[in-house]
Amino acid sequence: MSERGTRYPGPIARAGVHPHSLIAQGFAEDAALAGLLDRYPAELFDINLYDYDDEGQVSLRTGARGRLDGGQLLEAIQQGRLWVNLRNVETGWPELWAAAMAEFRQVEAAYPGLKAVKNGGQLILSSPKARVPYHFDAAGVVLFHLRGRKRIFVYPGDEAHLAERDMEQVVSRQTTEELPYRLAFEGDAQIIDLEPGQALTWPLYAPHRVENLDRFCVSLSMDFQTWPSRLRNGALYTNAVLRSRGGAPRPTDTMGQGELALRWAASLGLKRMGALKNRIAHFERQFEPEVGVTDGAGALKA
């Protein structure tokens, strides 16, 4: 792996930290967050609890929004071991989104050649001892950190750390974003401790994992697509379909722009046809947040 930290082209070569001014606008204060949790649509909550064995292998439990009011839910997150994603922040909290987009334009300008064609995001509220497993995002990401302290481990985006067959499964929604992980990967990580008021970028597709440093954390994870990332994601989807039919498609990092574009175009038709069924559309919910119980995860209520 070169100093770029990834085998894929793009203007972001390695993880980098940038300042932002979102904290001064009060978006991470308890009163604002409790009010947001009260009004946020329940179908846009992802509530996760990750458990790890001694080899770092992860198992996932998923939660339902439950019946707590916003203040109680915030308290359960602050006491427990929960990782809560509020999806579609661009519509769920437009004031935060407008402010974050202004900050994103400054980050974008720091990378000549970077041009986002679509942005989306999720607000992440996570417990002091929460950890997110080794995974990758099928988009560029700017992580705006607002409260608490996080440690992010960013790994090389080569075939050993990020197999294209696994990427195909994620992009085609056959599996979640988690990747096969080995403790030996730790010697290859770039480690960044992120403080409030800092935003982190990393190369497209770079595998990473996150640990909170014993404090309740608030971050806005803004993803963005460029035309090159759109083309490659489409090619990965087409390759997933071909592989599911017994094919052995060539890796996308051996393809030129013309072939990537053709496979992206093919993916549009394949998706319309329903060539691959979404296998992660529905999870069985196993708990709902509760104040004062282990990990903040109480029993599901009828």
Side-chain angles (χ1 to χ4, degrees):
M1 178 58 56
S2 70
E3 285 302 307
R4 282 189 46 79
T6 176
R7 67 193 186 274
Y8 297 108
I12 302 177
R14 290 182 64 79
V17 176
H18 307 264
H20 72 79
S21 62
L22 296 175
I23 297 171
Q25 301 176 58
F27 293 117
E29 295 176 1
D30 278 0
L33 296 173
L36 179 71
L37 292 170
D38 263 331
R39 67 178 184 269
Y40 219 80
E43 66 271 15
L44 296 180
F45 276 73
D46 290 329
I47 304 179
N48 296 329
L49 182 56
Y50 297 103
D51 299 301
Y52 300 82
D53 65 18
D54 292 341
E55 296 299 316
Q57 303 305 307
V58 66
S59 58
L60 168 65
R61 288 182 276 165
T62 58
R65 164 63 178 85
R67 303 180 185 183
L68 301 181
D69 65 30
Q72 293 168 326
L73 179 54
L74 183 62
E75 186 177 358
I77 300 169
Q78 291 174 338
Q79 291 180 357
R81 197 164 53 83
L82 304 177
W83 191 274
V84 178
N85 298 331
L86 304 181
R87 289 180 278 113
N88 295 6
V89 174
E90 57 271 25
T91 55
W93 199 356
E95 298 83 2
L96 170 59
W97 188 251
M101 281 300 299
E103 299 288 344
F104 173 79
R105 296 304 176 198
Q106 297 185 45
V107 175
E108 186 180 43
Y111 296 99
L114 178 61
K115 178 60 177 175
V117 295
K118 183 179 180 181
N119 296 69
Q122 57 188 2
L123 188 68
I124 303 171
L125 311 180
S126 51
S127 301
K129 295 184 182 299
R131 296 189 288 163
V132 170
Y134 186 76
H135 70 286
F136 89 104
D137 299 291
V141 173
V142 181
L143 183 65
F144 294 98
H145 194 47
L146 303 172
R147 181 169 170 180
R149 297 179 65 235
K150 285 184 185 294
R151 179 165 292 162
I152 296 94
F153 301 75
V154 181
Y155 302 82
D158 56 14
E159 182 68 15
H161 296 82
L162 180 69
E164 274 221 350
R165 183 174 295 207
D166 295 324
M167 296 172 69
E168 293 168 10
Q169 293 297 293
V170 173
V171 168
S172 61
R173 301 186 70 79
Q174 303 303 290
T175 66
T176 57
E177 296 172 340
E178 287 79 35
L179 296 166
Y181 169 80
R182 299 199 306 270
L183 287 175
F185 290 169
E186 292 311 301
D188 304 321
Q190 182 183 358
I191 302 172
I192 304 97
D193 285 352
L194 205 61
E195 302 285 347
Q198 294 180 325
L200 183 65
T201 60
W202 53 80
L204 178 65
Y205 302 136
H208 52 282
R209 65 181 185 87
V210 184
E211 295 180 357
N212 286 355
L213 298 178
D214 292 321
R215 299 182 191 177
F216 168 66
C217 287
V218 180
S219 302
L220 171 64
S221 179
M222 180 183 288
D223 62 65
F224 61 90
Q225 293 287 356
T226 64
W227 268 111
S229 69
R230 274 186 165 181
L231 296 183
R232 191 170 302 275
N233 285 347
L236 288 165
Y237 183 92
T238 297
N239 278 5
V241 175
L242 293 172
R243 200 178 300 279
S244 74
R245 270 65 168 173
R250 293 195 305 114
T252 65
D253 60 352
T254 67
M255 299 178 185
Q257 287 300 302
E259 187 173 0
L260 289 170
L262 287 172
R263 298 218 173 191
W264 166 75
S267 75
L268 301 180
L270 291 167
K271 290 176 182 177
R272 283 194 297 269
M273 293 165 50
L276 287 173
K277 181 181 179 181
N278 184 343
R279 296 183 181 276
I280 62 171
H282 302 287
F283 283 101
E284 181 182 353
R285 307 299 172 177
Q286 297 164 286
F287 67 89
E288 60 185 63
E290 186 173 334
V291 176
V293 302
T294 301
D295 297 329
L300 281 173
K301 298 177 177 62

